[in-house]
Amino acid sequence: MTDFAALSAVIGAGLTPTLAFLYQRLERLLDRGDTPEADPQPPTALAGTLVLPLQADASRLAERTQDLEELRDALHVYYRGDAPVAPSDDSLLRTLGRLRGVLEEIYGQHLTFQGEQRPASGTVVRQRTRRVTGRQIGMDAGEILGDALVDQDVDTVERSGTNIGMRARRIGPPPV
């Protein structure tokens, strides 16, 4: 999750727009809370497809607000241009990695950049469950227009229980 140092060579000149994109999501979450964001402008280095509108999980946002405030304090000098944005700045890269991890948790989506060896940007559902006695669904949508990942770890599904990882009519881009 914090592998931005390895990513710096891949992003190269795209580091500044990547910083801007991540920082703008951070500020928006702190300013507007979990209000959906319909039209973020992702950097060209983003791999995969974001599911829009970006929708924050309100409880995760509440849990991570202090982290977002600390990350904003650490990244503010870079975003405002008071410090150089350089791929050799390990502190900047580590902080961006932390920010990306927090944003992924809050939005429930990967934010992956070209050249990274990780799942492409898109919806992620992670469920860790000891026992399912009723019904548990990881994802249920009429259409998913990007990458989606369901990661479930279930110890026991009772005889009366149901566990569904994903159910959708379509996953991926529309037919050509």
Side-chain angles (χ1 to χ4, degrees):
M1 192 177 322
T2 59
D3 54 354
F4 251 71
L7 176 62
S8 66
V10 176
I11 290 182
L15 185 56
T16 299
T18 298
L19 164 68
F21 174 74
L22 296 175
Y23 190 88
Q24 289 163 0
R25 305 294 67 73
L26 174 154
E27 281 194 323
R28 191 167 200 296
L29 287 169
L30 291 174
D31 292 345
R32 297 188 188 161
D34 62 352
T35 303
E37 183 178 8
D39 59 350
Q41 299 301 311
T44 58
L46 192 75
T49 306
L50 291 178
V51 176
L52 298 177
L54 283 179
Q55 177 65 60
D57 178 292
S59 63
R60 287 188 182 133
L61 175 58
E63 292 168 4
R64 301 306 298 263
T65 296
Q66 183 175 350
D67 294 325
L68 290 173
E69 289 170 347
E70 291 170 5
L71 289 163
R72 178 179 55 191
D73 291 345
L75 291 169
H76 181 79
V77 295
Y78 297 102
Y79 182 70
R80 297 291 181 223
D82 297 331
V85 176
S88 60
D89 186 336
D90 290 338
S91 177
L92 167 62
L93 298 175
R94 278 192 306 275
T95 305
L96 282 175
R98 284 185 46 227
L99 174 56
R100 173 172 64 180
V102 171
L103 292 174
E104 286 179 335
E105 183 181 328
I106 291 170
Y107 286 125
Q109 296 192 50
H110 282 294
L111 300 172
T112 301
F113 299 91
Q114 300 291 334
E116 287 190 280
Q117 300 301 311
R118 64 194 306 263
S121 301
T123 303
V124 179
V125 175
R126 287 188 176 85
Q127 294 178 315
R128 304 292 178 252
T129 309
R130 290 184 190 260
R131 169 183 267 156
V132 176
T133 58
R135 187 175 179 149
Q136 173 175 278
I137 300 174
M139 184 180 300
D140 185 356
E143 188 173 51
I144 299 172
L145 297 176
D147 295 320
L149 171 70
V150 175
D151 176 15
Q152 292 182 319
D153 184 3
V154 179
D155 290 339
T156 305
V157 177
E158 297 293 328
R159 196 173 286 214
S160 62
T162 303
N163 182 62
I164 299 171
M166 180 185 300
R167 179 175 36 214
R169 290 236 185 257
R170 169 180 286 309
I171 298 172
V176 178

